[in-house]
Amino acid sequence: PTSRIKRQCRNVKPIYVSTSDEDLTNNPDVKKKRKRGKRGNMNIGEWKEKLKQNWECKYDELKQFKEKHGNQTMLPDGALRSWLSYQKLDYRNMIAGKTSRMNVLKIQRFAALGVRIEETKGNVIYSWKERQQQLHEYKAKHGHLNIPRSHALLGNWVGHQRTGYVQFKEGNRKCYGMNDSRIEFLTNLGFQWNVEKRTGPPDLTKIKSWSERFQDLLEFKRTYGHTRVPHEYQPDLALANWVRTVSGTLNF
């Protein structure tokens, strides 16, 4: 009898009754549910349609709020304000060349309500066309495009363009929206790709790899005891720029 019971038990599917994190993780039913995520049993077409409907509902809420209160009243804390903040984040991702659901039609619809989706926390993220106009105005005023990093409007942006150029040539998708047409425009306008030589786009054969820069940073740490490379570190400005670029993703 005992052996018969053991054989029967071996054929019984185990039932998970524990609520511990480890057991829940190993539960095949929980795994299947987690894999489906927010989509549930919907296919990709149904999921996209639901996202579209949700977006339209929130947009209608925003439209009604603007019609009732005008543009001078700030949105109160809540779901609608959180949604609008996410739209601004989606816009920034689009400008940076990252995955985004934002598009020109949505931007135009926000503009129709008097909402500048590119505005975020008091700062303005300018479009590519606006940057083109700013470059033309700077060149008309100064006669060149040797824009210093201290320039309030264009200083950081020009640094991003140089970084984006290198990343684009290396096949990195996170290249600040850089592409062939932008490179052509900037070059023809006289944009200074190489700050030191100012003779056109940088020579990629002379650009150190990530590993080489990391070794430079380790050497800096051995010398000074830390990795806080000053922005104007004269012995190696390229290292300072590299550290500033990766400081958001690395934690030394």
Side-chain angles (χ1 to χ4, degrees):
T2 304
S3 60
R4 185 173 68 253
I5 293 175
K6 288 183 177 179
R7 287 196 299 271
Q8 290 175 347
C9 290
R10 283 199 295 266
N11 296 327
V12 175
K13 182 179 179 180
I15 299 175
Y16 289 89
V17 295
S18 174
T19 58
S20 67
D21 291 340
E22 181 179 359
D23 287 336
L24 286 176
T25 302
N26 294 326
N27 190 330
D29 294 329
V30 174
K31 284 184 176 181
K32 186 176 180 180
K33 184 176 180 180
R34 287 178 177 174
K35 187 176 182 180
R36 288 199 302 264
K38 295 181 180 180
R39 277 177 51 186
N41 293 322
M42 291 184 290
N43 59 41
I44 187 65
E46 293 171 337
W47 176 242
K48 288 184 177 180
E49 183 61 27
K50 181 180 179 180
L51 290 177
K52 182 179 178 180
Q53 292 175 357
N54 290 344
W55 193 94
E56 292 293 343
C57 288
K58 287 300 182 183
Y59 180 84
D60 288 340
E61 287 184 34
L62 180 63
K63 182 178 180 180
Q64 293 173 9
F65 180 90
K66 290 294 183 180
E67 290 174 349
K68 183 177 180 179
H69 301 282
N71 292 324
Q72 301 302 319
T73 304
M74 182 179 296
L75 285 172
D77 291 334
L80 184 58
R81 185 171 180 176
S82 298
W83 175 80
L84 185 58
S85 297
Y86 181 81
Q87 301 308 303
K88 294 180 179 181
L89 173 62
D90 227 12
Y91 176 86
R92 295 197 296 273
N93 288 338
M94 182 189 71
I95 295 298
K98 300 178 181 179
T99 302
S100 170
R101 296 191 182 98
M102 186 57 60
N103 54 50
V104 176
L105 179 59
K106 288 182 178 180
I107 296 173
Q108 292 174 342
R109 294 182 65 183
F110 279 119
L113 298 182
V115 177
R116 289 199 65 181
I117 201 66
E118 64 272 23
E119 292 182 353
T120 169
K121 296 182 180 180
N123 298 320
V124 177
I125 298 178
Y126 295 97
S127 67
W128 172 246
K129 288 187 177 180
E130 289 173 321
R131 288 301 191 186
Q132 287 177 305
Q133 182 61 32
Q134 292 167 5
L135 289 174
H136 280 297
E137 292 175 355
Y138 185 95
K139 186 173 183 180
K141 181 177 180 179
H142 300 279
H144 60 77
L145 287 178
N146 303 339
I147 303 171
R149 293 299 296 269
S150 59
H151 191 272
L153 189 61
L154 292 167
N156 290 332
W157 183 81
V158 295
H160 292 161
Q161 303 315 296
R162 296 184 180 106
T163 301
Y165 173 86
V166 176
Q167 293 176 337
F168 175 73
K169 291 300 183 181
E170 292 176 345
N172 191 334
R173 293 180 60 185
K174 297 180 180 180
C175 55
Y176 296 100
M178 186 58 65
N179 53 45
D180 289 326
S181 62
R182 292 188 177 187
I183 293 173
E184 181 180 4
F185 167 80
L186 293 171
T187 301
N188 293 338
L189 192 62
F191 181 76
Q192 305 301 327
W193 295 101
N194 192 312
V195 179
E196 297 177 354
K197 295 183 178 180
R198 303 187 184 279
T199 57
D203 183 358
L204 295 180
T205 62
K206 297 182 179 180
I207 297 177
K208 290 187 176 182
S209 66
W210 195 97
S211 298
E212 290 173 326
R213 279 299 174 202
F214 185 73
Q215 292 301 320
D216 291 342
L217 183 61
L218 292 179
E219 182 62 31
F220 180 93
K221 185 176 182 180
R222 282 192 289 268
T223 303
Y224 299 100
H226 60 81
T227 58
R228 299 184 298 274
V229 183
H231 289 184
E232 301 300 329
Y233 181 56
Q234 294 300 323
D236 195 344
L237 288 174
L239 175 61
N241 291 333
W242 180 82
V243 170
R244 190 159 58 248
T245 300
V246 302
S247 60
T249 58
L250 296 180
N251 183 19
F252 296 106

